[in-house]
Structures are given as C-alpha cells and as structure tokens.
Amino acid sequence: MKQLLLSAMLVVATLFGGIAVGPVGVAGAQENCSFPVTETDATGTEVTIEEEPQRIVTLSPSASQTMWEIGAQEKVVGVTKFSTYLDGANSKANVSGAGMTAVVPEKVVAQNPDLVLAPNVIPEQTVQTLRDAGLTVYKFEESESIEDIYAKTELTGQLAGECDGAAETVSWMKDRVNTVEQAVSNEDSPKVMYVMSGGFTAGEGTFINKIIETAGGTNVAAEADISGYKQISNEVVVQQQPDWFIVSAGMEVPNAYSETPAAQQNQTISLNSNYASQPAPRIVHPITKLAKTLHPEAYEQANVTTTTETGDETMTTTESMDGTTGETTTESGGQPGFGGVGAVVAGALAVVTLLARRE
C-alpha cells in the first residue's frame, strides 16, 4: 500500500508540475531502508539511528519540505514557523524561538522525537543541548548546489526510513532539471536581476544565482562583482541593463530602474520565495518557471523531446509555472514603498528572512 501511494504521488506531481515521464518507479530504488544506520553529520559526530523513526522534528523549512516531498510528513511531529506554508504543517507543534533561526530546546524535547533533523544554521550549542537531553540529532552540511540537494534528499530518506520516496523524488527532480539544461544549452543568456527590498539583490554564491544560471540566464549582480545578498546602486542596475527582473510574490520593481529593457518591456517574473530560497526538492519549480519564461520555444521543444513511452502509450505533460497554475510572468513596474533609512532596514530584514528560510 505504501509503495502504491508513493507511485500515485509521483504521477500527480508529474501531471501538475512536470515533464514527460516513463513508467512510475525508479530503477535501482532501495526497496527497504535498513536499520540501524550510522552517518557522520556536519558536527563530525557519528549519528546512529537504531530503528526506523516514527516521530521526527524538523528544525528548518527545507527539512520539512523534503519530508513532505518524500511522502513522510505523517512522521513529522514538530516544525519551525517558516514551515507553515506546507499543507498540514499548522497541525504540527511549533518549536521556534523568538529569533529568525532560533528554536526552543524544551519544545523539541517535549515532542519526544526519535530523530531531529537540523540545518547547518542551527548552532552546535543547540545541537549539543538536544543531544544532552537524550535526543538523536543529525545536523546537515550546507547545500551549495543542486547536486547537494539530490544527495540531501536521499540522505533524509535513509535517515527517516523513506528510501523509496526519496529516490522517486530525486528522479523527478533530475528529469525536470535535465529538461531545463537541454532547453538552454544552445540559447543566448538574457540578463536577469533579482530585486529585493531596499536595493538589495542576490549575487554570486547564492541559490538565486544558481537558479538563474541553471535556467539559462546571466545574473547581472554577479557580473557587477556582487556576492551574497548585498545592496546594488540604482546607477549600476541601469548600467547593467537587465532584460528581466525577478521578484518574490508581492514585491514591486522600483521606478528608479525604469531605464532598463526589463522595465521598458514590462518583463518581470514572480517566484515563490519558499521554493527559491530553500535547498529542497521544490527548487525545481522556480528553475523551470524561469527557464520556461526566458526560453519558451526551446523549453517546449526540450519538453517534447524528453517524452518517454509508458507501456504502449506516450505521455507528454506540461510544466506549470512555479509548481502552480494560473500565474503570470509579467507585471508593471512600480514603487516598492520604501525610502531612505526605511529602505535599508526593510532590505536588511528581507535578507535576514531569506537567509533564515534558506535552510
């Protein structure tokens, strides 16, 4: 029954956000996770899980999202406040503290978890406090690439006893990314800028930059020698002449950018920040949406050519924008509503929030 449910989930995920697929199931998928399992985590500790965990607390939205995607959300008993965008997460215990990345150890312990999944941003002191309380805690390394996300998803499946679900999730992720890479391989790279409040943007070494590059775009912030999340002057933006702006839902493009091709041609793409800023399976949705917008004809052709046969039938599906339906990719530019010191503060808060949501 569990395998049938996971297979059905794969079909639904493909139909409502995917590309052409072949037979449901993954060649070489591990049929059963074996326990005990021992893995060395980011603290250098050999973490041993004696039996398949039934009660899991996730200390990051990326860990929560991964558990949801591999079909293991019923095992999750505690999450942080940034995980509430996931269906059903509101019914789980909230273990967050007052800060952006803080958790309350007592709240975690109260859930009596068999396993705690911690992101790299959780302080080692917090990890040790939980371990001293008798909990099994695995702290992940920082994910710096899409390949890291594949590995992290498979590792989560192994630790949680959900190897089949993890293997199937990685399979559809790779299918979509491969389609994007095929689509953009011989295309020109339009100039793209990620717009944040207070004049901030995402440069080299960020997940946004990786999304832009994978989708066949050139990040103007990286070209302007910006790394991480930093402010960029209006003059540099105009000098870079971006063809497209990327914003988070609800964000508007400043009027100061009006002398750019992106503003003049009304070319703005809205991405779901819960997907774009977290190293987790749904990263493929903003990648695909961006590639489909920047290279519509090439993407359509690549999607057709990656269609595979299912038995005697051939199934071709169309990827929905950002994993949803009915979204538009162009918006009129406008004033974001921040100025002077307020813009800097708002931008800084946006950066802190984005970094907090990364893991």
Side-chain angles (χ1 to χ4, degrees):
M1 179 62 70
K2 181 178 180 181
Q3 181 61 39
L4 289 173
L5 178 59
L6 289 169
S7 298
M9 288 174 60
L10 179 62
V11 173
V12 172
T14 303
L15 290 174
F16 289 95
I19 60 170
V21 296
V24 174
V26 181
Q30 185 176 343
E31 299 246 344
N32 294 292
C33 295
S34 58
F35 290 89
V37 59
T38 299
E39 293 288 343
T40 302
D41 77 346
T43 68
T45 302
E46 286 192 351
V47 179
T48 297
I49 305 171
E50 297 291 346
E51 299 178 346
E52 179 176 343
Q54 301 301 319
R55 297 180 61 83
I56 298 175
V57 171
T58 58
L59 303 186
S60 67
S62 65
S64 301
Q65 185 191 122
T66 302
M67 289 291 288
W68 258 247
E69 285 300 309
I70 68 177
Q73 63 266 39
E74 74 280 356
K75 290 184 176 180
V76 178
V77 295
V79 299
T80 62
K81 57 190 174 185
F82 291 118
S83 300
T84 54
Y85 71 92
L86 296 164
D87 289 341
N90 282 324
S91 66
K92 313 294 184 179
N94 184 345
V95 299
S96 292
M100 288 291 183
T101 61
V103 297
V104 180
E106 291 79 8
K107 291 183 179 180
V108 178
V109 173
Q111 303 314 310
N112 193 28
D114 304 314
L115 175 64
V116 178
L117 300 178
N120 67 288
V121 295
I122 294 294
E124 291 195 13
Q125 181 179 357
T126 301
V127 172
Q128 190 58 50
T129 297
L130 295 173
R131 286 174 174 163
D132 290 343
L135 301 185
T136 300
V137 183
Y138 187 93
K139 181 176 179 178
F140 291 99
E141 300 278 358
E142 180 180 1
S143 298
E144 299 179 346
S145 67
I146 296 172
E147 287 72 24
D148 287 346
I149 301 176
Y150 298 152
K152 181 179 177 181
T153 301
E154 291 174 337
L155 175 59
T156 300
Q158 183 181 12
L159 298 176
E162 302 287 342
C163 295
D164 284 354
E168 290 177 349
T169 299
V170 170
S171 180
W172 66 252
M173 290 174 67
K174 288 182 176 179
D175 281 345
R176 296 187 197 183
V177 172
N178 288 342
T179 298
V180 168
E181 291 175 340
Q182 178 178 331
V184 307
S185 60
N186 296 315
E187 298 295 305
D188 293 334
S189 298
K191 302 176 76 171
V192 180
M193 177 186 169
Y194 187 73
V195 179
M196 301 171 66
S197 298
F200 281 81
T201 189
E204 187 72 36
T206 65
F207 254 85
I208 296 297
N209 185 66
K210 179 62 67 175
I211 289 172
I212 292 172
E213 291 181 343
T214 304
T218 298
N219 185 359
V220 299
E223 288 209 320
D225 295 325
I226 292 175
S227 60
Y229 296 95
K230 293 184 176 66
Q231 285 182 306
I232 184 171
S233 71
N234 297 337
E235 292 76 17
V236 172
V237 173
V238 174
Q239 182 182 10
Q240 289 293 320
Q241 291 286 284
D243 301 302
W244 288 89
F245 290 126
I246 300 175
V247 299
S248 296
M251 177 67 188
E252 293 184 336
V253 177
N255 287 333
Y257 301 166
S258 61
E259 297 300 317
T260 63
Q264 293 170 353
Q265 298 174 32
N266 194 30
Q267 296 189 146
T268 301
I269 308 168
S270 177
L271 297 183
N272 187 325
S273 61
N274 286 318
Y275 301 166
S277 63
Q278 294 175 19
R282 294 185 191 180
I283 192 76
V284 298
H285 295 315
I287 290 173
T288 303
K289 178 177 182 178
L290 187 56
K292 192 173 182 180
T293 304
L294 299 179
H295 308 285
E297 294 181 2
Y299 180 84
E300 182 179 359
Q301 182 60 37
N303 197 44
V304 170
T305 57
T306 53
T307 300
T308 56
E309 292 188 357
T310 305
D312 295 328
E313 300 178 356
T314 299
M315 178 165 58
T316 304
T317 61
T318 303
E319 177 117 21
S320 62
M321 295 296 199
D322 207 11
T324 61
T325 57
E327 290 193 60
T328 59
T329 58
T330 59
E331 299 174 2
S332 59
Q335 185 65 28
F338 299 110
V341 176
V344 176
V345 173
L349 287 174
V351 173
V352 171
T353 301
L354 186 62
L355 291 175
R357 289 169 181 261
R358 270 201 63 190
E359 287 290 347

